[in-house]
Amino acid sequence: MPRIRPTARKGLLTLHLVTSLGWLGADLVLLTLGIAVQRGADPAAVYPVTALVGTVLFAPLSVLVWLIGVASALLTPWGLLRYRWVLVKLIITTVMVGLVLFLLTPNLRHAGAMGAALPARDRADLVIAPAVSTSLMIIATVLSTYKPWGRRPAARPTRASDDRATTRM
């Protein structure tokens, strides 16, 4: 497994933190804009801004966070599958990136085009989605901070290899 120097590792960690914080910030902006419409703001003014934030900032940051996170895991001692907390973060982030790219971004573009004509059900989705993703980002942050569960157990030898090991002794 390739390793990087400590200065490069800190640079990669800094880049991961900056992009992650940007992703969380953009998510909070989307949540705020969605709540603003629910509270009476003009959807014709808000939804085009929401579409812009989602497509220009939120979606690209989600991909960057995933790429930098995978690179960090592969190039540092944490590894991609070695620790449960890293694996859980990978799963959370992968699912979120997929949802952002294939569901949320098209919905934001649609809302931007529809404006005030967007149905109430779709308006609620533009509040629920960022609320859920903000919660998942906070969970990922807690995992990074506390690093629970320790290391994943190594693969156990099969019964046949156990038998061969004892017959050689």
Side-chain angles (χ1 to χ4, degrees):
M1 175 166 303
R3 297 282 190 249
I4 58 176
R5 294 180 312 207
T7 54
R9 181 176 166 193
K10 287 180 183 178
L12 197 58
L13 176 61
T14 301
L15 190 57
H16 187 57
L17 288 171
V18 168
T19 55
S20 297
L21 288 170
W23 194 24
L24 177 60
D27 195 32
L28 290 171
V29 167
L30 292 175
L31 178 60
T32 303
L33 291 170
I35 291 171
V37 169
Q38 295 292 328
R39 296 191 56 164
D42 181 13
V46 173
Y47 285 146
V49 173
T50 303
L52 183 66
V53 169
T55 56
V56 173
L57 191 61
F58 192 67
L61 279 171
S62 69
V63 174
L64 276 175
V65 167
W66 188 88
L67 289 171
I68 295 167
V70 169
S72 295
L74 292 174
L75 297 172
T76 64
W78 294 115
L80 197 57
L81 304 174
R82 190 172 295 143
Y83 291 87
R84 286 184 182 102
W85 68 270
V86 176
L87 180 60
V88 171
K89 275 186 63 178
L90 174 66
I91 292 167
I92 288 171
T93 307
T94 302
V95 168
M96 285 178 56
V97 169
L99 292 173
V100 165
L101 295 178
F102 299 112
L103 288 177
L104 183 61
T105 302
N107 287 347
L108 292 173
R109 286 185 183 135
H110 177 69
M114 295 285 292
L118 191 70
R121 177 184 50 85
D122 294 339
R123 291 180 186 195
D125 289 345
L126 296 179
V127 173
I128 295 168
V132 169
S133 61
T134 295
S135 301
L136 290 173
M137 287 183 208
I138 291 169
I139 290 169
T141 302
V142 169
L143 291 173
S144 294
T145 304
Y146 289 95
K147 298 171 180 50
W149 310 310
R151 201 174 173 135
R152 291 184 60 218
R156 296 187 60 172
T158 62
R159 183 74 179 146
S161 62
D162 286 344
D163 292 340
R164 280 182 288 206
T166 55
T167 58
R168 290 183 187 167
M169 298 176 108

